[in-house]
Amino acid sequence: KAVADKPAEYDQAAAAIKGGKFDDAIKLLNGIIAAYRNLEWDVEASKLLPQALLGQGDAAGAVQAYDKLFLLAPGEKQNAALAWGMRRAMLQAKQYTGLIRQLDAVAAAGPRPEAARAQTMRGDIQLAQNNVELAALDYLRTAILFQDLNDPIVLGEACFKAAAALEQLRDPRAKDMYKKVATEYKASPYAAQAAGKI
């Protein structure tokens, strides 16, 4: 397999994404993809491209970039970070039908932590469509059906989002859910926010 040395533009593009210069990053990454076909760096640049497109607010473009990446390197479909990146892009692009199909497949065949994430994202789809009550139910399903996972990242997110939806519905149980995140799931990125809500 042919591999070229890392192009200088790759680090420049990564720095541009970090600095919020998404147009510059997109130009650099598209240049690498064209110039380094089948030399590995086309795949590496293709992994960064959706981040730049999302940063620019082009969620539909990010989904297309993920599709092209998975055609270019089918093995990358097994990369959980990329698969969830594509699902988040689909959510932002309002591609709910295709996203629900993917989430159903993950829930049916994936390991339990992945199924839990899929159930939470179903809630995100409901929330994006302003179905707050249905979103709350999906988040609560994750919190209850997957509590045996004892995973503060997955469960912290589900409980926090359930609490936020319940709060919107003026349901007094919201406080208890925030408390649960702050005390039981301290390793969750949502723990500090939850503590502020108690």
Side-chain angles (χ1 to χ4, degrees):
K1 175 172 141 182
V3 179
D5 289 336
K6 178 162 70 166
E9 294 88 347
Y10 180 82
D11 286 336
Q12 290 166 16
I17 290 172
K18 232 180 203 162
K21 296 177 179 167
F22 302 115
D23 287 343
D24 295 349
I26 290 164
K27 264 187 215 132
L28 289 163
L29 292 167
N30 280 326
I32 296 168
I33 292 164
Y36 288 81
R37 278 191 76 71
N38 303 318
L39 295 171
E40 196 178 291
W41 290 103
D42 55 342
V43 174
E44 293 308 312
S46 296
K47 289 180 192 176
L48 280 187
L49 184 59
Q51 291 176 40
L53 290 161
L54 278 174
Q56 197 184 46
D58 183 4
V63 173
Q64 286 178 336
Y66 276 117
D67 280 332
K68 283 181 187 164
L69 164 64
F70 295 145
L71 278 174
L72 189 64
E76 293 297 344
K77 276 187 181 174
Q78 308 312 313
N79 179 327
L82 293 174
W84 285 105
M86 179 168 190
R87 290 173 196 133
R88 281 190 297 276
M90 290 173 83
L91 180 67
Q92 284 183 39
K94 298 179 169 52
Q95 295 180 9
Y96 303 134
T97 308
L99 178 54
I100 287 167
R101 263 198 311 273
Q102 276 201 31
L103 296 176
D104 286 346
V106 171
R112 277 183 62 73
E114 295 289 285
R117 288 180 77 178
Q119 181 61 47
T120 300
M121 193 170 265
R122 280 194 181 115
D124 295 341
I125 293 169
Q126 295 293 354
L127 198 63
Q129 296 174 93
N130 217 19
N131 301 325
V132 183
E133 215 164 294
L134 293 174
L137 286 172
D138 277 328
Y139 297 139
L140 286 167
R141 274 189 199 104
T142 309
I144 294 161
L145 298 175
F146 295 93
Q147 65 187 18
D148 61 303
L149 287 179
N150 212 5
D151 183 328
I153 305 301
V154 172
L155 293 171
E157 178 183 2
C159 289
F160 182 84
K161 288 180 172 179
L166 289 168
E167 187 179 22
Q168 245 183 290
L169 297 165
R170 293 184 167 75
D171 189 312
R173 290 175 296 175
K175 274 254 190 283
D176 293 334
M177 291 303 281
Y178 282 130
K179 198 174 191 175
K180 189 179 178 90
V181 179
T183 57
E184 291 180 37
Y185 304 124
K186 288 182 181 152
S188 166
Y190 293 92
Q193 265 177 284
K197 293 278 196 176
I198 300 170

